[in-house]
């Protein structure tokens, strides 16, 4: 009787198939899309507001306001714009001086005019400020400090508008005075809660980093805005700029045919200026027209009239910024046709080689040889005087 055969077990290694990896979308694609969506969100919102206004009120208010603008009105807008721009540039120069950055007043006025024109001509309403911040920071050799100078200057203007606007809306007759008095405690509580959240988030950061960031921000705000040397000038310039904007609004109301008194127009102008600060516009257009139309309608002055006033104000603001075009064209021409002082008019030659090339070769050859001799490896593979190179000899 034969013995039962046992099953043979193979000892050969079995091949392990790799686990299929699911393809994932690259992480660097979604972030640019989100940034682009956020960048165009304000433009889309401003366009939607304008579309709703045209749908509800028609184009008559737009066209009627534009027809009423004449030569004296344009000259008045240019004069008001000159005053507000000069005092805004002075405020910017004061803040820059507080941050120990040199900014002459003439250059500040020219840059501010260019920024105003870019704000009015490009979507978003802040690209001009971004441009002047970056340009001033690079020219001063400190990009971060130059950007913070522009941010603090804009913050000073917004704080003046908010402070004066709160006093006007709480004391003068306006469509929102009753609501403002009821909402003031709620807004104060909301701001306190937001401040508490910000402080709580900052507490989670590293102590050294948190303390350094807070000290830097408070120190720059103190030196740029609240110092004894800068505060009077910044307060005066902010008051003059705000008065100029209110005067421009009253002028726009008169051009649009509104016979309301200055006392009636002041709170409506404050509402329009506050709406202009929202980053949901197309070159400043959108929320300003919507809020002004609503405010005039609530005050019994007619929503169509309010829309016409906002349109005229927007056109006059664009006219007031037109000197920025001259600044843009002049600097573009200067950058294109002005030769650098260090550049020779005609090249000279040394032994048949251009002097510039000879100087460049003599200047950069040692640096290139030094760069090539220093390697990313811990030590060189070339022998030195017949001996191998060691980490100690390197």
């Amino acid at each position: 009787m034969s013995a039962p055969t046992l099953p043979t077990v193979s000892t050969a290694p079995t091949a392990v198939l790799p686990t299929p990896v699911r393809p994932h979308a690259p992480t660097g694609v979604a972030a640019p899309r989100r940034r682009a969506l956020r960048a165009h969100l304000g433009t889309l919102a401003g366009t939607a507001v304008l579309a709703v206004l045209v749908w509800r009120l028609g184009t008559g208010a737009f066209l009627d306001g534009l027809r009423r603008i004449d030569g004296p009105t344009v000259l008045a807008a240019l004069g008001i714009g000159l005053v507000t721009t000069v005092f805004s540039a002075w405020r910017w120069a004061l803040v820059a001086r507080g941050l120990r950055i040199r900014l002459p007043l003439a250059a500040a006025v020219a840059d501010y005019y260019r920024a105003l024109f870019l704000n009015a001509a490009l979507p978003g309403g802040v690209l001009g400020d971004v441009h002047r911040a970056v340009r001033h920071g690079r020219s001063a050799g400190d990009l971060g400090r130059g950007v913070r100078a522009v941010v603090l200057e804009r913050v000073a203007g917004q704080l003046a508008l908010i402070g004066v606007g709160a006093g006007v809306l709480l004391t003068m007759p306006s469509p929102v005075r009753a609501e403002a008095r009821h909402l003031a405690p709620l807004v104060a509580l909301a701001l306190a809660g937001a401040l508490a959240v910000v402080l709580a988030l900052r507490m989670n950061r590293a102590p050294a980093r948190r303390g350094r960031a807070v000290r830097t921000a408070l120190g720059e705000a103190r030196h740029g805005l609240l110092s004894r040397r800068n505060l009077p000038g910044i307060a005066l310039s902010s008051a003059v700029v705000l008065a100029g904007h209110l005067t421009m609004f009253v002028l726009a109301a008169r051009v649009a045919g509104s016979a309301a008194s200055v006392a009636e127009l002041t709170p409506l102008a404050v509402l329009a200026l506050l709406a202009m600060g929202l980053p949901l516009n197309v070159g400043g257009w959108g929320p300003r027209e919507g809020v002004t139309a609503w405010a005039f309608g609530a005050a019994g002055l007619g929503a169509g009239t309010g829309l016409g006033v906002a349109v005229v104000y927007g056109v006059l603001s664009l006219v007031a910024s037109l000197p920025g075009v001259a600044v843009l064209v002049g600097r573009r021409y200067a950058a294109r046709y002005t030769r650098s002082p260090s550049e020779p008019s005609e090249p000279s030659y040394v032994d048949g080689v251009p002097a510039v090339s000879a100087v460049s070769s003599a200047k950069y050859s040692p640096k290139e040889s030094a760069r090539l001799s220093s390697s990313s490896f811990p030590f060189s593979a070339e022998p030195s005087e017949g001996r191998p190179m060691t980490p100690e000899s390197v």
Side-chain angles (χ1 to χ4, degrees), residues 342-344 346-350 353-364:
S342 61
E343 182 180 356
E346 293 183 0
S348 58
Y349 292 86
V350 178
V353 181
V356 177
S357 301
V359 173
S360 300
S361 176
K363 181 177 180 181
Y364 294 106

Side-chain angles (χ1 to χ4, degrees), residues 188-377:
L189 292 176
L191 291 177
L195 180 60
V197 171
V198 171
L199 292 177
L201 292 176
R202 286 184 175 273
M203 292 298 293
N204 292 328
R205 298 169 60 182
R209 183 181 178 185
R210 182 180 66 247
R212 184 167 56 251
V214 172
R215 286 193 301 270
T216 301
L218 293 179
E220 290 183 343
R222 182 175 65 254
H223 293 295
L225 299 179
L226 304 177
S227 65
R228 185 178 302 177
R229 185 181 181 186
N230 282 359
L231 182 57
I234 290 176
L236 176 61
S237 60
S238 300
V240 173
V241 171
L242 181 56
H245 291 325
L246 295 176
T247 304
M248 185 80 79
F249 190 89
V250 174
L251 175 64
R254 294 293 179 259
V255 172
S258 175
S261 63
V262 176
E264 293 177 317
L265 292 174
T266 299
L268 307 182
V270 168
L271 291 173
L273 294 176
L274 290 173
M276 288 176 58
L278 298 176
L280 305 173
N281 57 76
V282 184
W285 297 78
R288 176 185 60 207
E289 284 68 29
V291 170
T292 307
W294 168 83
F296 269 73
L301 302 176
T305 303
L307 179 58
V309 171
V311 170
V312 174
Y313 182 88
V315 174
L316 295 182
S317 299
L318 178 60
V319 169
S321 68
L322 286 180
V325 179
V327 177
L328 281 171
V329 174
R331 289 187 172 175
R332 179 66 60 85
Y333 179 85
R336 184 175 180 180
Y337 293 101
T338 301
R339 189 182 297 271
S340 175
S342 61
E343 182 180 356
S345 57
E346 293 183 0
S348 58
Y349 292 86
V350 178
D351 296 333
V353 181
V356 177
S357 301
V359 173
S360 300
S361 176
K363 181 177 180 181
Y364 294 106
S365 294
K367 294 183 179 180
E368 182 69 15
S369 60
R371 186 184 65 83
L372 293 176
S373 62
S374 61
S375 175
S376 60
F377 296 100

Side-chain angles (χ1 to χ4, degrees), residues 7-24:
T8 60
V9 178
S10 177
T11 59
T14 58
V16 180
L17 297 178
T19 304
V21 180
R22 294 183 179 182
H24 295 280

Side-chain angles (χ1 to χ4, degrees), residues 176-188:
V176 297
R177 183 173 67 173
E179 289 79 1
R181 289 180 174 178
H182 289 102
L183 292 177
L186 298 179
V187 172

Side-chain angles (χ1 to χ4, degrees), residues 379-394:
F379 47 85
S380 174
E382 297 293 334
S384 175
E385 299 180 358
R387 292 173 297 165
M389 298 293 291
T390 62
E392 290 79 3
S393 60
V394 175

Side-chain angles (χ1 to χ4, degrees), residues 113-123 125-129 131 321 328:
Y113 259 123
R114 180 184 55 193
L116 289 176
F117 175 73
L118 293 178
N119 286 341
L122 298 178
V126 295
L127 296 181
D129 292 326
H131 184 265
S321 68
L328 281 171

